[in-house]
Amino acid sequence: MNDIRAELKALALEWGADIVGFCRLDTPVEGFSYALSIGVKLSDAVLATIENAPSFVYFQHYRTANALLDTVAFRLARAIERKGYAALPVAASQSLGKNDPYRGVLPHKTAAVLSGLGFVGKSGLFLSTEFGSKLRLATVLTDMPVQRELPVLENGCGGCTACQNACPAGAIFGEKPTTDGERNFDAEKCSRYMKEHFQDIGRGSVCGVCIKVCPKNKL
Ligand code: SF4
Ligand code: SF4
């Protein structure tokens, strides 16, 4: 299985991913007990266009990063199927529809944390060891028994409250983060604020301020 893991990781990196991890899920999702977590780093120059509000440049870039992730996840799922296992790619911005618009079949950050790639910050964002929160994530669920390569990390925010202080919506609670970020910020409040104030930029679907201010991204 180590060879297959190395092969899948090499393919994902070749196709455009910047980080790749493997894990066994605590609870099966859609009948799958294992997952590949993949991340694509966002452009520093694009993030520099965010001041105290989202930017058109960031909105377009966000969609491009999602499209790349979805392509890599799809291609990985096909590669896994060719090896005789089942695989379900979970889109970077998956939503379960109007009854649960802020959630996909699983939080990508949960698979990323279980893979040892980083931790969930007080912002509710996933902070990778290599790139902080300057990245987007996607997941491939599978029945291929791929075990974690790295230890699960503790939260590393310490006493920082930069994202809580900067959030224009007051949506970040500043509490001890959880693996899925559920109790760290109010997704509905964040979304409502963005839609009210930035309809002209991607109908208020992205912000980026909590990424921009995080000191872990300036390392
Ligand atoms: S995306 Fe913007 S509004 Fe939403 S939690 Fe982050 S800083 Fe606050
Ligand atoms: S800004 Fe500070 S508190 Fe917020 S996620 Fe980054 S390190 Fe953690």
Side-chain angles (χ1 to χ4, degrees):
M1 193 53 67
N2 284 357
D3 287 351
I4 294 181
R5 219 170 37 186
E7 182 187 334
L8 292 173
K9 184 186 282 191
L11 286 173
L13 296 175
E14 182 189 324
W15 291 332
D18 292 300
I19 57 171
V20 186
F22 306 86
C23 68
R24 182 187 170 93
L25 299 166
D26 292 337
T27 309
V29 176
E30 301 285 309
F32 295 103
S33 296
Y34 298 89
L36 281 72
S37 174
I38 54 176
V40 165
K41 182 191 170 295
L42 296 169
S43 155
D44 290 320
V46 168
L47 291 173
T49 66
I50 300 170
E51 291 298 337
N52 298 313
S55 72
F56 281 106
V57 176
Y58 176 57
F59 169 64
Q60 296 294 346
H61 185 61
Y62 181 94
R63 297 212 307 182
T64 304
N66 283 352
L68 174 58
L69 276 165
D70 292 348
T71 301
V72 175
F74 181 37
R75 295 185 73 175
L76 278 173
R78 286 161 43 106
I80 292 169
E81 282 180 351
R82 284 195 291 273
K83 294 186 181 301
Y85 296 93
L88 189 155
V90 182
S93 260
Q94 191 185 65
S95 158
L96 293 179
K98 63 181 180 184
N99 293 332
D100 205 350
Y102 308 114
R103 222 186 278 253
V105 294
L106 88 164
H108 295 301
K109 60 190 109 179
T110 298
V113 169
L114 292 174
S115 300
L117 295 173
F119 61 88
V120 174
K122 290 178 188 173
S123 58
L125 293 170
F126 174 73
L127 274 72
S128 67
T129 309
E130 281 185 72
F131 306 116
S133 55
K134 295 189 294 188
L135 82 169
R136 298 280 306 152
L137 295 169
T139 309
V140 180
L141 300 170
T142 181
D143 59 3
M144 176 186 278
V146 283
Q147 301 293 343
R148 184 173 60 231
E149 295 177 300
L150 303 165
V152 172
L153 300 173
E154 292 293 316
N155 171 270
C157 287
C160 178
T161 56
C163 54
Q164 185 183 10
N165 299 341
C167 175
I172 296 173
F173 308 140
E175 292 174 7
K176 189 172 186 297
T178 54
T179 314
D180 59 10
E182 286 271 313
R183 293 200 297 276
N184 302 126
F185 89 113
D186 185 334
E188 199 274 330
K189 199 170 180 181
C190 160
S191 176
R192 191 173 59 238
Y193 179 90
M194 297 312 302
K195 285 185 172 34
E196 284 172 5
H197 293 81
F198 298 106
Q199 264 301 323
D200 57 326
I201 302 178
R203 296 195 300 280
S205 58
V206 298
C207 168
V209 170
C210 46
I211 296 177
K212 183 71 185 289
V213 301
C214 180
K216 299 288 184 188
N217 295 340
K218 298 182 173 67
L219 300 176

